[in-house]
Amino acid sequence: MTYVVTENCIRCKYTDCVEVCPVDCFYVGDSMLVIKPDECIDCGVCEPECPADAIKADTEPGTAGWKAFNAKYADLWPNISEKTEPAGDAAAWDGRDGKLLEAFGNADPAVA
Ligand code: SF4
Ligand code: F3S
């Protein structure tokens, strides 16, 4: 089991999550963060810290594609362990539909 970052992180990127992770397994791209599944110890402390409710356990329905997405980009992006400024207009982007398609060119996280 692992936790994964999902679509609503895109263009919000609050980064509260990285402050609490005991194993520093978050990785950062231009528009969002991901968790490296192989490093996550399933402690769950990051999930309630995300103001955008973007972090899910991979036992939740619909997260299989997101697990693949998190694994793929965690291998490509640099590690992040300290909080940074949220994305500009984070509040305006919070909860919007279609962010994955807009940012990654595909609406399916398994192939984005
Ligand atoms: Fe880090 Fe725990 Fe969140 Fe996994 S569940 S990403 S180990 S804080
Ligand atoms: Fe993203 Fe939430 Fe962390 S918006 S950066 S998963 S606190």
Side-chain angles (χ1 to χ4, degrees):
M1 180 187 161
T2 182
Y3 282 74
V4 294
V5 181
T6 63
E7 183 164 17
N8 205 34
C9 180
I10 295 170
R11 293 189 181 275
C12 289
K13 208 176 175 184
Y14 287 112
T15 69
D16 300 72
C17 51
V18 305
E19 290 277 283
V20 298
C21 181
V23 293
D24 293 344
C25 63
F26 282 90
Y27 293 79
V28 58
D30 289 341
S31 61
M32 70 179 293
L33 269 57
V34 291
I35 290 167
K36 185 171 259 188
D38 290 348
E39 296 177 352
C40 173
I41 59 170
D42 312 329
C43 70
V45 299
C46 58
E47 183 183 19
E49 296 299 321
C50 176
D53 197 24
I55 300 176
K56 310 287 182 192
D58 73 342
T59 49
E60 292 189 37
T63 56
W66 284 107
K67 184 173 179 180
F69 181 98
N70 277 243
K72 173 183 173 179
Y73 286 102
D75 281 344
L76 298 173
W77 294 344
N79 188 261
I80 177 171
S81 59
E82 294 183 3
K83 183 171 170 57
T84 57
E85 286 295 309
D89 291 334
W93 283 98
D94 195 346
R96 276 205 208 174
D97 291 330
K99 292 198 285 184
L100 181 64
L101 177 61
E102 188 269 340
F104 289 86
N106 197 298
D108 181 355
V111 294

